[in-house]
Amino acid sequence: MKKAMLYFLSLLLILSFTLVGCSSNEKTEVSQQDGPLKIKVFGPQNADTNLETNYFTKLVEEKFNIDLEWQVTTYDATSASEVRNIALASGDYPDAFFLVPWVDQFSQTDLLRYGKQGVVLPLNDLIDKYAPNIKEVIENHPYYASMVTAPDGNIYGLPHLNECFHCSYGNKLWINKDWLEKLKLEMPKTTEEFKNVLTAFKTQDPNGNGKQDEVPLSGSPALIESSIIPYLMNGFIYDDSRSRLTLENGKVDLVANKDEWKEGLAYIKSLYKEGLIDKGAFSQNMEAHQKLGNNAEAQILGASTGMHPGVFVTNFEYDIDYDALAPLKGPNTEYATYNFPSTPGGAFVLTNKASEEAQIAAIKLVDYMFTDEGRILSHHGEKDVSWREPKEGEIAIEEGVEPNLALIPLKEDEKPRNDNWGAQSQYYHSGEFRDGLVQATDIYTAEGYERRLQEATHLYEGKEPSEVFPHWAIWIDPAVADEAAMIETNIVDYIEQNSLQFITGTKDLDKEWDAYVKGFDQLNLKRYLEIMQEAYDNSSL
């Protein structure tokens, strides 16, 4: 039973979910050819899936009278990217790509480059003629419209629109509520109260083993949401955790050279100097992070940053002790980091290898995944096998929403079901669509895990500034794209390296701050802000 529970938990962390809907099951003819139309497609395939024999593959092959010939790669991001790029460079590429954004997909720069070369086909006319559901979503979602529409007006690829609520506020902090109770401490609300709690975690033996082995606070740079800096910095100045850009009255600016950023670094430095932050928090990988959270001899972790507890602890007995801590009120602000949960680029792309019939069939297939029926069958598989309709009395994940879908977990020792495309199919998972998932009311069970994340995220919702730089919906002019990318890489690396040096004391924050600020001139910050301002001004937002 424990094995099944852990598998189901991991499934929930990897996959997102959908609502039930309905549409016609009638077979759609795409041409008058004899036999199914063969379409060569490329995509990642995990160890539990066979895309050739998959239930959803067979369903759409029959529905659209097609034969999908799969070229597959793994879910390893580096390998997947290499295989895709080699195929494109060699000229031996498929008719269509069906990719997973967090594994590998075409970047906006890729789309512009291959679009200009004629390798990637514009989708505008196909969408207008054959994809009414995609067209409607683009018309009604401004961010998505900006994400898909290149500066020349063409749509060269479709990213997923996955409005994952808890992902939108990914830079959370989770604190050990059991330790707070043992030490008779309240949930901290300010940066100073938080420091006092961490001090108590370090000195008052909350795990009760008679040793001072507690690690008050940890994190990891391996995942951007697990970095310690953004959560703590938001009490001093807004930190989006990615671009470090901000908007004020429509003007783009950098935050990491402001006095408030220096104040934030000084605060984090004080925690580090007093041994309240794990020294590995700025260098360890995910495995080391989890090793800390899962420590076998005794529970030693007091708090950690992460999108969800499963990032840093997989021991379910420990996991249930962590509750989300709301954004801390600092001397200047009380912000939460917001990022649009979908990634710009192309998860679905058509190439010039595709015949007209293949283009039409492929866009109809993607359009089907924008419908209620298509998105649930593609993502969750067979009805009454992997999902079912809700029973009377069951409650949706979001309060006040009508429940629409209940997952059927694997039985103990049951093999994974090869009946869905999972993360490969999340083209339109709206917030409303996701909110209808049935979840157990006990949030400290595997069956209630997503409800736990939903409730935690409400602590952060709306705490971002009124203006946030929408880096996810900005297209850079192709003429300056390479220049912007180089400057951005240098600036982001410079901020990360210097922040770490100031926090750990290898650089003197007071004596070397002015030199650090001046260093941005050498990195061409002024030019970078000009490019980003122009991109923002030219966007449809």
Side-chain angles (χ1 to χ4, degrees):
M1 183 63 190
K2 184 174 181 181
K3 180 180 178 182
M5 179 178 288
L6 290 176
Y7 178 82
F8 182 53
L9 174 60
S10 65
L11 180 68
L12 284 173
L13 301 183
I14 296 172
L15 301 179
S16 299
F17 42 82
T18 56
L19 286 176
V20 171
C22 61
S23 67
S24 171
N25 281 314
E26 294 180 3
K27 191 174 185 179
T28 304
E29 298 292 339
V30 296
S31 72
Q32 299 300 316
Q33 81 281 345
D34 295 327
L37 174 68
K38 294 184 181 296
I39 304 176
K40 294 182 179 180
V41 293
F42 176 99
Q45 175 177 277
N46 64 35
D48 296 327
T49 303
N50 183 325
L51 289 169
E52 286 284 355
T53 61
N54 186 271
Y55 166 83
F56 183 71
T57 299
K58 295 301 181 183
L59 184 149
V60 294
E61 285 181 332
E62 180 179 356
K63 181 177 181 65
F64 295 101
N65 195 25
I66 57 178
D67 179 11
L68 298 177
E69 298 182 342
W70 287 96
Q71 177 189 354
V72 298
T73 183
T74 69
Y75 268 51
D76 177 83
T78 301
S79 175
S81 177
E82 287 177 354
V83 173
R84 177 174 63 85
N85 288 326
I86 289 172
L88 288 163
S90 68
D92 184 20
Y93 49 84
D95 301 322
F97 289 85
F98 287 89
L99 305 175
V100 176
W102 47 267
V103 176
D104 172 54
Q105 70 171 2
F106 287 79
S107 68
Q108 290 170 307
T109 302
D110 288 337
L111 294 176
L112 291 171
R113 180 171 69 250
Y114 290 121
K116 185 177 181 180
Q117 294 172 2
V119 173
V120 168
L121 301 179
L123 304 176
N124 305 55
D125 290 343
L126 289 167
I127 291 172
D128 282 341
K129 294 178 182 178
Y130 304 106
N133 297 291
I134 297 174
K135 185 175 181 179
E136 182 180 0
V137 169
I138 291 173
E139 290 174 348
N140 293 323
H141 292 76
Y143 273 153
Y144 191 66
S146 293
M147 288 169 64
V148 303
T149 309
D152 62 5
N154 284 321
I155 298 173
Y156 292 110
L158 291 175
H160 288 179
L161 177 55
N162 184 15
E163 295 179 326
C164 170
F165 179 53
H166 78 85
C167 307
S168 303
Y169 297 88
N171 291 91
K172 301 181 181 71
L173 187 138
W174 302 83
I175 192 166
N176 193 319
K177 68 178 187 301
D178 184 55
W179 285 12
L180 290 173
E181 292 172 4
K182 287 180 179 177
L183 300 180
K184 296 181 172 54
L185 297 171
E186 299 290 332
M187 276 281 188
K189 296 180 180 179
T190 69
T191 50
E192 284 307 305
E193 288 177 3
F194 183 61
K195 184 175 183 179
N196 292 336
V197 164
L198 296 182
T199 302
F201 282 176
K202 179 184 179 182
T203 61
Q204 296 183 27
D205 191 29
N207 67 12
N209 67 353
K211 303 176 183 178
Q212 196 176 83
D213 56 354
E214 288 82 0
V215 177
L217 173 62
S218 191
S220 169
L223 294 173
I224 201 163
E225 297 85 5
S226 297
S227 170
I228 284 178
I229 293 175
Y231 177 84
L232 297 176
M233 186 63 71
N234 273 320
F236 299 83
I237 192 171
Y238 182 64
D239 182 1
D240 76 349
S241 78
R242 288 164 171 80
S243 72
R244 268 54 194 255
L245 296 177
T246 187
L247 273 180
E248 187 170 350
N249 297 322
K251 182 179 179 182
V252 181
D253 201 359
L254 184 75
V255 298
N257 58 354
K258 303 294 184 288
D259 288 343
E260 293 88 348
W261 186 270
K262 180 183 178 183
E263 287 183 69
L265 291 177
Y267 170 75
I268 301 171
K269 177 183 177 181
S270 73
L271 301 182
Y272 185 85
K273 185 177 181 180
E274 294 179 29
L276 304 180
I277 297 178
D278 171 33
K279 290 186 176 181
F282 300 102
S283 59
Q284 64 192 358
N285 59 22
M286 289 180 63
E287 183 179 358
H289 194 192
Q290 287 189 352
K291 187 175 181 181
L292 193 68
N294 292 332
N295 188 62
E297 294 180 6
Q299 188 177 25
I300 61 173
L301 184 59
S304 182
T305 43
M307 182 179 285
H308 51 78
V311 169
F312 59 87
V313 55
T314 58
N315 179 333
F316 203 71
E317 294 179 4
Y318 290 171
D319 175 284
I320 61 177
D321 288 332
Y322 294 94
D323 276 352
L325 184 62
L328 296 171
K329 182 175 177 57
N332 307 319
T333 56
E334 190 179 355
Y335 287 139
T337 295
Y338 172 82
N339 279 287
F340 193 67
S342 296
T343 306
F348 169 71
V349 167
L350 279 174
T351 76
N352 58 3
K353 300 279 189 178
S355 66
E356 182 178 353
E357 291 83 2
Q359 294 173 36
I360 294 171
I363 201 68
K364 286 185 173 182
L365 167 54
V366 178
D367 190 65
Y368 177 58
M369 288 190 279
F370 273 74
T371 68
D372 287 348
E373 178 185 278
R375 55 189 167 189
I376 188 171
L377 294 176
S378 64
H379 190 62
H380 285 302
E382 193 171 0
K383 184 179 181 181
D384 295 326
V385 175
S386 291
W387 63 275
R388 60 172 174 78
E389 294 184 0
K391 298 176 182 178
E392 186 175 352
E394 290 184 320
I395 303 173
I397 190 172
E398 182 61 37
E399 184 178 352
V401 173
E402 187 72 20
N404 289 280
L405 168 66
L407 301 176
I408 301 175
L410 290 171
K411 299 176 182 177
E412 190 169 4
D413 298 325
E414 181 183 357
K415 293 182 179 179
R417 303 160 187 148
N418 184 38
D419 65 352
N420 65 77
W421 285 8
Q424 207 164 10
S425 66
Q426 294 177 277
Y427 284 95
Y428 181 41
H429 286 202
S430 65
E432 295 84 358
F433 190 75
R434 296 172 59 95
D435 285 349
L437 178 75
V438 169
Q439 280 275 288
T441 54
D442 186 349
I443 64 174
Y444 300 109
T445 62
E447 295 78 10
Y449 193 81
E450 286 283 354
R451 185 183 301 281
R452 182 177 172 196
L453 303 186
Q454 190 90 348
E455 291 180 1
T457 306
H458 281 302
L459 298 174
Y460 297 77
E461 184 183 18
K463 293 291 186 71
E464 68 274 16
S466 57
E467 289 182 284
V468 173
F469 181 71
H471 56 82
W472 53 83
I474 297 298
W475 289 77
I476 305 299
D477 184 335
V480 297
D482 289 341
E483 178 189 8
M486 182 181 68
I487 299 175
E488 180 180 52
T489 297
N490 291 337
I491 287 175
V492 170
D493 288 347
Y494 183 73
I495 293 169
E496 290 296 331
Q497 291 169 10
N498 280 274
S499 294
L500 178 57
Q501 291 172 327
F502 284 136
I503 289 167
T504 59
T506 57
K507 273 192 174 182
D508 190 298
L509 184 57
D510 292 320
K511 295 180 181 178
E512 299 183 73
W513 173 258
D514 290 342
Y516 159 76
V517 171
K518 190 171 181 56
F520 283 106
D521 295 338
Q522 303 300 316
L523 298 176
N524 223 348
L525 173 62
K526 182 179 179 181
R527 171 61 177 152
Y528 180 62
L529 293 178
E530 288 175 354
I531 294 173
M532 302 311 285
Q533 184 72 58
E534 183 178 1
Y536 175 74
D537 291 342
N538 290 338
S539 72
S540 59
L541 301 173

